[in-house]
Amino acid sequence: MVDGVTVLLPQGGGGPRLSDIAGQASVSEATVSRVLNGRPGVADTTRQRVLAALDTLGQERPGRPRQRTEGLIGLVTPELTNPVFPAFAQAVEQVLAGHGYTPVLCTQLPGGATEDELVEQLVERGVGGIVFLSGLHADTSADPARYAALAARGVPYVLINGYNERVSAPFVSADDHAAVRMAVSHLAELGHRRIGLAIGPQRYVPSRRKREGFLDAAVGLLGLAWSEAEELVCSTLFSVEGGQVAAGTLLGRGCTGVVCGSDLMALGVVRAARERGLDVPRDLSVVGYDDSQLIAFTDPPLTTVRQPVRAMAAAAVGALLEEIAGSPVQRTEYVFQPELVVRGSTAGSPASRRPASRAHTSHPTDHFRSTRETKGTTSTNSTTRKGP
């Protein structure tokens, strides 16, 4: 036992002892111990003397030290201004910590390091794997070859939200199609017939899926023609300002209810309505998406569709750890069902005049669940999807 580390060297048969190596290199036994175990705190010149002493004494040099890097897992996220991303990061970190791994959080900032640069830094640090959250894999305009190159370097990874059939890896996603359909169904049950969709740029897979879900629901539940439903979709940015812009367009088209691609967009819609002298939910009903932590405390408390963040994080980490252990999981998409949380931003349409249908009443259909905030949440199930 030297310097708190047990160092095993050949016993007998003329094999060098720790003191022999220390004497040959003119260093202490503690320094030899640190070099053999790959520990920091040794100057490069001193480390080289110890390695040269090993060569002189016929002792095999230690391999690349791995103790410091095997427990690291990279987590690459977009900017953290959208509160759902910190929620995912925290959930992933908690699951990793439970398995003895240390997460290395890499956040993309405007004007900062790109996803590729962050990945290169993680690989240089020797991470055991990487979790990508809403990264370039979700952008249909991005080149997916970067992920194949990462796999070729022997770095396992898993991707959350944004299935890409051109990337061979485990994906974990919320069912965007079902999320929008249940939001439209909720508003339709409240008497709304002119319902709009505010979403982000169409190059992103979640936006495309939400659009598809909305068009199917508008045609199937509201009886609209496909072309008429398309006029009720407004693509801007996944931000408060983006929601504000979308609201101006959709209100101009006579919408009394708006389904949003994120909670931040929903807050922008509420702001735009108030700027026009409208009351939410009396004049306009708004449904968000994500259900980040503080959304229940907005004014009014936001009705939203909740992503099962913890369940998705656990599935993503589980798949990655299987990859690291050498037991690859199926290269497919594991789809988790969201749930509607009814609060105070939705009510009966102005035309229906049904005050009893205000925020504390939910109207589940045969196909979708609605969760009342006062009753807690229900369990979340997952399915497997192989296509986009």
Side-chain angles (χ1 to χ4, degrees), residues 177 180 197 199 202 205-218 226 388:
H177 191 285
V180 172
L197 175 68
I199 50 175
Q202 282 299 294
V205 172
S207 291
R208 291 189 174 190
R209 288 180 164 181
K210 287 182 173 68
R211 180 178 183 275
E212 293 168 0
F214 175 79
L215 293 177
D216 287 345
W226 190 270

Side-chain angles (χ1 to χ4, degrees), residues 213-265:
F214 175 79
L215 293 177
D216 287 345
V219 172
L221 298 177
L222 303 177
L224 301 180
W226 190 270
S227 59
E228 185 180 6
E230 287 183 318
E231 293 179 355
L232 300 178
V233 178
C234 186
S235 296
T236 57
L237 299 175
F238 282 117
S239 64
V240 172
E241 294 75 16
Q244 197 169 358
V245 170
T249 300
L250 296 174
L251 287 171
R253 294 174 183 172
C255 292
T256 61
V258 177
V259 177
C260 301
S262 73
D263 289 336
L264 289 183
M265 294 191 78

Side-chain angles (χ1 to χ4, degrees), residues 214-376:
F214 175 79
L215 293 177
D216 287 345
V219 172
L221 298 177
L222 303 177
L224 301 180
W226 190 270
S227 59
E228 185 180 6
E230 287 183 318
E231 293 179 355
L232 300 178
V233 178
C234 186
S235 296
T236 57
L237 299 175
F238 282 117
S239 64
V240 172
E241 294 75 16
Q244 197 169 358
V245 170
T249 300
L250 296 174
L251 287 171
R253 294 174 183 172
C255 292
T256 61
V258 177
V259 177
C260 301
S262 73
D263 289 336
L264 289 183
M265 294 191 78
L267 296 180
V269 172
V270 172
R271 176 193 289 180
R274 287 176 172 168
E275 288 179 348
R276 289 163 172 75
L278 302 177
D279 178 79
V280 177
R282 188 183 66 234
D283 303 312
L284 178 70
S285 287
V286 182
V287 181
Y289 179 78
D290 284 333
D291 194 32
S292 16
Q293 190 172 10
L294 298 178
I295 290 303
F297 304 99
T298 59
D299 180 26
L302 188 65
T303 294
T304 188
V305 179
R306 175 181 294 161
Q307 284 200 75
V309 170
R310 293 186 179 277
M312 292 171 64
V317 172
L320 181 62
L321 297 186
E322 289 293 330
E323 296 278 329
I324 293 173
S327 303
V329 299
Q330 188 177 5
R331 266 55 176 165
T332 187
E333 182 182 29
Y334 301 89
V335 181
F336 284 73
Q337 293 301 305
E339 54 186 323
L340 180 69
V341 182
V342 179
R343 297 192 181 102
S345 65
T346 52
S349 70
S352 67
R353 304 295 183 188
R354 294 183 300 186
S357 299
R358 291 184 69 89
H360 298 294
T361 303
S362 60
H363 300 270
T365 66
D366 292 336
H367 301 288
F368 304 109
R369 295 196 306 276
S370 173
T371 301
R372 278 195 178 186
E373 189 66 12
T374 56
K375 292 185 177 180

Side-chain angles (χ1 to χ4, degrees), residues 106-243:
C106 295
T107 304
Q108 300 176 64
L109 299 174
T114 65
E115 179 178 305
D116 292 337
E117 291 170 340
L118 293 174
V119 168
E120 190 61 33
Q121 294 173 21
L122 290 171
V123 173
E124 288 177 355
R125 294 191 64 176
V127 294
I130 301 176
V131 178
F132 290 93
L133 172 61
S134 299
L136 290 175
H137 62 276
D139 188 341
T140 58
S141 67
D143 185 0
R146 55 177 44 89
Y147 299 106
L150 183 60
R153 299 172 71 175
V155 181
Y157 57 90
V158 64
L159 307 113
I160 299 177
N161 280 339
Y163 177 74
N164 191 328
E165 62 183 2
R166 296 178 294 171
V167 178
S168 179
F171 284 81
V172 175
S173 304
D175 193 332
D176 295 294
H177 191 285
V180 172
R181 185 176 177 88
M182 66 175 63
V184 172
S185 176
H186 168 64
L187 293 175
E189 290 283 346
L190 292 174
H192 295 273
R193 289 297 177 266
R194 196 71 176 172
I195 301 170
L197 175 68
I199 50 175
Q202 282 299 294
R203 70 175 188 271
Y204 295 113
V205 172
S207 291
R208 291 189 174 190
R209 288 180 164 181
K210 287 182 173 68
R211 180 178 183 275
E212 293 168 0
F214 175 79
L215 293 177
D216 287 345
V219 172
L221 298 177
L222 303 177
L224 301 180
W226 190 270
S227 59
E228 185 180 6
E230 287 183 318
E231 293 179 355
L232 300 178
V233 178
C234 186
S235 296
T236 57
L237 299 175
F238 282 117
S239 64
V240 172
E241 294 75 16

